[in-house]
Amino acid sequence: MGSPRLVGLINAVLLPSPTALFWAASDLLRSGTLFRHVSASIERVLVGFALASAVGLTLGVVLGWFRTLSDFVKPLVEALRPIPPIAWTPLAILWFGVGNAPSYFLVFIGAVFPVFVSTYSAVRNIERTQINAALCLGATPTMLIWDVLIPGALPMIFPGLRIALGVGWMCVVAAELIAAQSGLGYMIQQSRLLLQTQFVLTGMIVIGIIGFVMNAVMTAIERRLVPWQESSKGT
Amino acid sequence: MTQLRVDHVSKDFALRGRADVLRVLEDVSLDICEGELIVLLGPSGCGKSTLLNIIAGFLQPTMGQVLHEDIPVSKPDRRRTVVFQDYALFPWMTLEKNVEFGLKAQGIAPAERTRIARSFLALVKLRGFEDHYPYEVSGGMKQRAAIARALAPDPDILLMDEPFGALDAQTRVLLQEELVRIVAATNRTVVFVTHSIDEAVFLADRIVVMSSHPGKIRSIHKVALPRPRTAETRSLPNFINLTQELWDSLKPQWHDEGANAVRSQHST
Ligand SMILES: Nc1ncnc2c1ncn2[C@@H]1O[C@H](COP(=O)(O)OP(=O)(O)OP(=O)(O)O)[C@@H](O)[C@H]1O
Ligand SMILES: [Mg+2]
């Protein structure tokens, strides 16, 4: 107890030095382990996010448009929304076992609400005169959805999508800590059990970097798809 | 020949949190002939937009009906297109795509759509701006594009709700002259809402003067000015006389109504 060597050992476990981290990262890279875990996590977040976007957009457009329907369905959605995604983990495991499915599900739960809420309020906020303009020009229901409601809502939907992807990314890591056999969360959990803190930290840093990159990619897509938004802000 | 008949139309709006209703239009009847340019003139709040929205099919009348070629209007359709005061262009589409919208709705092939859209943009003097987004052009240009968009689907009737209200005085005069030219070129029926007497006299075949609380037709004036109307029209004795006459008859009413509106706001 208290001997200098022991303290040094504990510190190396609790907080590895930058050089140790560097070597850990290069080990993980060279062996292909990191790549395997990263691609597993990314695949999961993308699948869950895609499902959440499809459901959130559809639900948001439908409830945003049909007010009476929304009076019935919206309270249900609002009751589910405050439940933290992590709290769904036990159910996710019960329902889907282990493997990819519970992770998809948890990402979906985390991401669907931001997509829904932003789409819903975006559709509600579309100028009535723009909808009237479309109607008097003879817009078909398909055109009303694809050429008016969705593009009109897009500037408000995009921040929601960006938040959703961020939340989804947190959820996938949380899910993998418990309910997966691969992925960055799994890697962190395994390394913790083996007291390989350098790998735990490397995993966390990689999670941060990937989250940052995903956000940047979404912002770039937003700029391309919503070119009228940036420039019209000033006026 | 009567193309559009407003037949004893009344409109009530429910007031939030109150049992009674607000009567905005009362027993409005009006026959509009093919190719006619009708101006609805009246003070703010007299129900001009409400009447136009009922004609367009955006709103249903509480009583009475609107007949378009003898068929009751129940919803908007492309035979009655609308130009709005705030343009209501789709900001996510280029001017050309905006103009193509009504053509796409009819299922016209893309190449043909582009051709028609370009010819209408040329008609409103926007050649060269086809690929611009609305935020990249001026208010006057936006309104020209909105006019082109409303004309492209070949409507019977063009409904315009204070389309030049947001523009500066010079642009406004220019666009009035352009509108007269375009309407002559396309031989379209137009219902045009304004509260500018000048604008009304310059544009109209007939001016329908409305009064408010509730909105009613107060008088109808035929405008005996030759066409084509040009900048010179404004200095004709007839123009000056009619403008003056409308001013004199409307001023006391507008004054009273302004006072009434203030009073009724205070009492609620
Ligand atoms: N949806 C609505 N609910 C309740 N009242 C309404 C509604 N729409 C319009 N009104 C009322 O109806 C009256 C007429 O409105 P309208 O917009 O038709 O007037 P307007 O003649 O077009 O006025 P302006 O020249 O200012 O545009 C106003 O008193 C307005 O407050
Ligand atoms: Mg109005």
Side-chain angles (χ1 to χ4, degrees), chain B residues 25-209:
Chain B
L25 290 175
E26 186 163 85
D27 198 26
V28 173
S29 291
L30 179 66
D31 281 2
I32 298 171
C33 298
E34 204 172 327
E36 207 178 9
L37 203 161
I38 291 280
V39 170
L40 303 179
L41 177 68
S44 186
C46 73
K48 305 182 293 293
S49 298
T50 305
L51 180 56
L52 203 76
N53 286 336
I54 290 174
I55 294 175
F58 300 145
L59 290 175
Q60 292 305 311
T62 311
M63 276 178 275
Q65 59 182 348
V66 173
L67 299 164
H68 185 162
E69 269 155 17
D70 297 329
I71 297 165
V73 168
S74 61
K75 58 179 169 46
D77 77 61
R78 66 170 184 84
R79 296 181 309 146
R80 296 177 309 279
T81 57
V82 183
V83 177
F84 301 87
Q85 176 168 7
D86 56 359
Y87 325 122
L89 289 171
F90 305 122
W92 52 90
M93 293 180 190
T94 60
L95 298 188
E96 184 176 300
K97 292 289 174 210
N98 265 285
V99 178
E100 281 185 24
F101 188 91
L103 304 167
K104 186 177 175 189
Q106 288 174 56
I108 295 173
E112 179 67 359
R113 289 206 298 258
T114 307
R115 195 188 62 73
I116 299 175
R118 284 176 181 253
S119 75
F120 277 102
L121 283 168
L123 179 70
V124 297
K125 301 194 171 152
L126 281 176
R127 190 173 281 159
F129 292 93
E130 290 87 354
D131 296 330
H132 285 57
Y133 282 93
Y135 68 81
E136 296 172 316
V137 302
S138 70
M141 290 159 86
K142 284 194 192 79
Q143 200 51 292
R144 286 167 204 263
I147 293 171
R149 179 177 71 172
L151 286 172
D154 197 23
D156 297 347
I157 304 172
L158 196 59
L159 304 171
M160 308 180 84
D161 192 355
E162 294 193 46
F164 307 148
L167 303 173
D168 64 82
Q170 284 88 323
T171 311
R172 190 169 180 151
V173 166
L174 276 179
L175 277 187
Q176 288 166 3
E177 287 166 16
E178 299 250 318
L179 179 68
V180 166
R181 177 181 63 81
I182 291 165
V183 167
T186 54
N187 191 30
R188 208 73 52 152
T189 311
V190 179
V191 181
F192 189 106
V193 165
T194 184
H195 44 222
S196 154
I197 292 176
D198 235 48
E199 186 165 79
V201 176
F202 183 77
L203 294 174
D205 291 315
R206 275 194 298 158
I207 299 174
V208 175
V209 178

Side-chain angles (χ1 to χ4, degrees), chain B residues 201-202 222-226 229 232-246:
Chain B
V201 176
F202 183 77
K222 251 187 128 50
V223 181
L225 288 168
R229 307 229 174 120
E232 287 76 55
T233 306
R234 294 178 204 273
S235 48
L236 294 176
N238 267 351
F239 183 95
I240 297 165
N241 291 343
L242 183 54
T243 311
Q244 194 57 46
E245 186 188 320
L246 286 168

Side-chain angles (χ1 to χ4, degrees), chain A residues 18 30 72 92-93 107 208 211-212 217:
Chain A
R30 247 180 303 126
F72 291 99
I93 295 173
V107 173
F212 179 83
V217 169

Side-chain angles (χ1 to χ4, degrees), chain A residues 2-16:
Chain A
S3 96
R5 276 188 60 192
L6 196 55
V7 171
L9 190 65
I10 289 171
N11 280 349
V13 168
L14 291 184
L15 194 67

